[in-house]
């Protein structure tokens, strides 16, 4: 029996010296020390020993068990150290290496001008309003004094969804939605996307952006409109900018005007950007038509107002000297990173 015990000790020692993983270590422990392990099965034979031999063998067995347990603990510690070392080596960070650069995103030029536009009007006490892009014919045309068969409908090639539902062709329907819901004084701008069935070219896109403006109060005049637009034009295009109103027609304003700003490139003397005109058209405007006020239950005898609709793409192209509208939609990073 002594022989058997020493043999276990020898083999356990030998196997433990070859261990390289925690799993192998467990297997060795179970094989020699487990409930069905070798040491246990040897001890089972103790019954056959004489009473003098029993304590001697018992003591030897305990010593060997302790010896193997200690060896296992040592090997476990060594394995842990090796593992830690391997980890440290594989996760080594060279702090002297140059860092990986993180590139910051930028605002799109349309967002940049929109931010500027909002800031100017908020500074003058305007609030931001919003309305749906999928709109009722009623708000886009009817309530804006543009009944069916009105010739002005032809100018704006409309995407109809049903007879009564369409993609708004302008932000003007938001004027009506605001006036239906609140009483004067009203001072809002409404930035938003609009849709017209136009072919894409350097100055057209079927989806583009407008900023609508609406002011309704007692005693609002054309002078207020001109003053407001001047402040706007000068803060976007520079202090020397002039504006010019040309008579025009919109069904929902009377009188109506198209508004030009003096060319941001040449200052008015005529150049390639303004095609020799000295002026560039950026918005439509006018005094809110009495019938539009009436349809929103605002008494035109008491109140008056002005409205304007501004092309955001046009404004951005002017502000940043962009000569092709398509650049604004193509998401070419080389273009966008310039702003
Ligand atoms: N909605 C008009 C357009 O899209 C612009 C406009 C707005 C004109 C408000 C007058 C008043 O052309």
């Amino acid at each position: 029996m002594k022989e058997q015990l020493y043999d276990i000790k020898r083999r356990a020692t030998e196997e433990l010296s070859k261990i390289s993983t925690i799993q192998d270590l467990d297997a060795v422990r179970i094989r020699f020390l487990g409930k069905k392990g070798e040491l246990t099965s040897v001890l089972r034979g103790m019954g056959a020993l004489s009473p003098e031999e029993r304590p001697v063998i018992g003591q030897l067995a305990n010593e060997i068990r302790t010896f193997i347990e200690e060896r296992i603990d040592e090997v476990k510690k060594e394995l842990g150290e090796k593992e830690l070392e391997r980890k440290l080596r594989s996760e080594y960070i060279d702090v002297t290496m140059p860092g990986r650069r993180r590139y910051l995103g930028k605002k799109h030029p349309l967002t940049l001008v929109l931010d500027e536009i909002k800031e100017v009007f908020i500074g003058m006490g305007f609030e931001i309003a919003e309305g749906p892009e999928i709109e009722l014919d009623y708000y886009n045309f009817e309530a804006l004094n543009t009944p069916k068969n009105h010739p002005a409908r032809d100018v704006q090639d409309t995407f109809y969804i049903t007879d009564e539902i369409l993609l708004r062709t302008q932000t003007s329907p938001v004027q009506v939605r605001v006036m239906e819901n609140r009483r004067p004084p009203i001072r809002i701008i409404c930035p938003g996307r609009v849709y017209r069935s136009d072919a894409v070219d350097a100055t057209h896109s079927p989806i583009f952006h407008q900023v609508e403006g609406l002011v309704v109060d007692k005693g609002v005049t054309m002078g207020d409109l001109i003053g407001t637009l001047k402040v706007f034009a000068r803060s976007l295009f520079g202090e020397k900018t002039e504006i010019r109103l040309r008579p025009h027609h919109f069904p929902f304003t009377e009188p109506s005007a198209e508004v030009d700003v003096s060319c941001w490139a040449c200052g008015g003397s005529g150049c390639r950007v303004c095609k020799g005109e000295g002026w560039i058209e950026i918005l439509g405007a006018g005094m809110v038509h009495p019938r539009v006020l009436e349809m929103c239950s605002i008494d035109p005898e008491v109140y008056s107002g002005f409205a304007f609709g501004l092309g955001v793409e046009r404004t951005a192209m002017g502000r940043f000297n962009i000569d092709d509208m398509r650049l604004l939609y193509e998401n070419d990073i080389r273009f966008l990173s310039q702003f």
Side-chain angles (χ1 to χ4, degrees), residues 34-195:
K35 275 205 188 86
K36 291 178 186 156
E38 292 197 27
L39 197 64
T40 320
S41 69
V42 171
L43 291 178
R44 263 198 210 107
M46 291 236 303
L49 296 177
S50 67
E52 296 81 48
E53 279 176 312
R54 234 175 266 163
V56 180
I57 293 294
Q59 199 189 349
L60 180 62
N62 277 337
E63 275 170 22
I64 288 179
R65 170 182 290 279
T66 311
F67 173 81
I68 296 177
E69 275 170 352
E70 278 171 7
R71 273 301 290 148
I72 287 178
D73 282 349
E74 273 168 36
V75 172
K76 200 180 215 162
K77 214 172 127 212
E78 278 165 27
L79 283 179
E81 276 162 12
K82 265 191 213 144
E83 172 65 13
L84 182 65
E85 208 177 299
R86 193 191 59 74
K87 237 185 167 163
L88 285 177
R89 207 172 307 131
S90 72
E91 290 170 12
Y92 171 75
I93 294 171
D94 181 355
V95 292
T96 65
M97 288 234 302
R100 222 169 277 161
R101 201 193 180 102
R102 280 179 204 272
Y103 289 94
L104 273 187
K106 294 199 170 193
K107 283 192 184 174
H108 191 278
L110 283 179
T111 309
L112 287 173
V113 278
L114 205 50
D115 286 350
E116 287 183 20
I117 294 169
K118 283 184 195 161
E119 202 164 304
V120 178
F121 284 105
I122 287 171
M124 289 191 277
F126 284 67
E127 291 167 56
I128 311 275
E130 274 179 41
E133 291 174 26
I134 298 172
E135 186 53 286
L136 293 174
D137 182 281
Y138 175 77
Y139 288 107
N140 196 80
F141 290 125
E142 209 83 18
L144 287 167
N145 197 30
T146 320
K148 293 225 158 70
N149 305 320
H150 191 290
R153 288 199 181 206
D154 301 341
V155 188
Q156 306 187 352
D157 275 319
T158 310
F159 288 115
Y160 276 94
I161 295 169
T162 70
D163 273 355
E164 293 305 324
I165 300 171
L166 45 74
L167 297 180
R168 69 177 178 196
T169 60
Q170 48 190 355
T171 42
S172 302
V174 183
Q175 289 185 34
V176 180
R177 287 179 174 275
V178 169
M179 284 190 283
E180 275 184 353
N181 284 309
R182 20 198 298 200
R183 299 294 89 190
I186 291 171
R187 237 183 294 168
I188 57 111
I189 56 166
C190 164
R193 207 172 276 157
V194 300
Y195 302 82

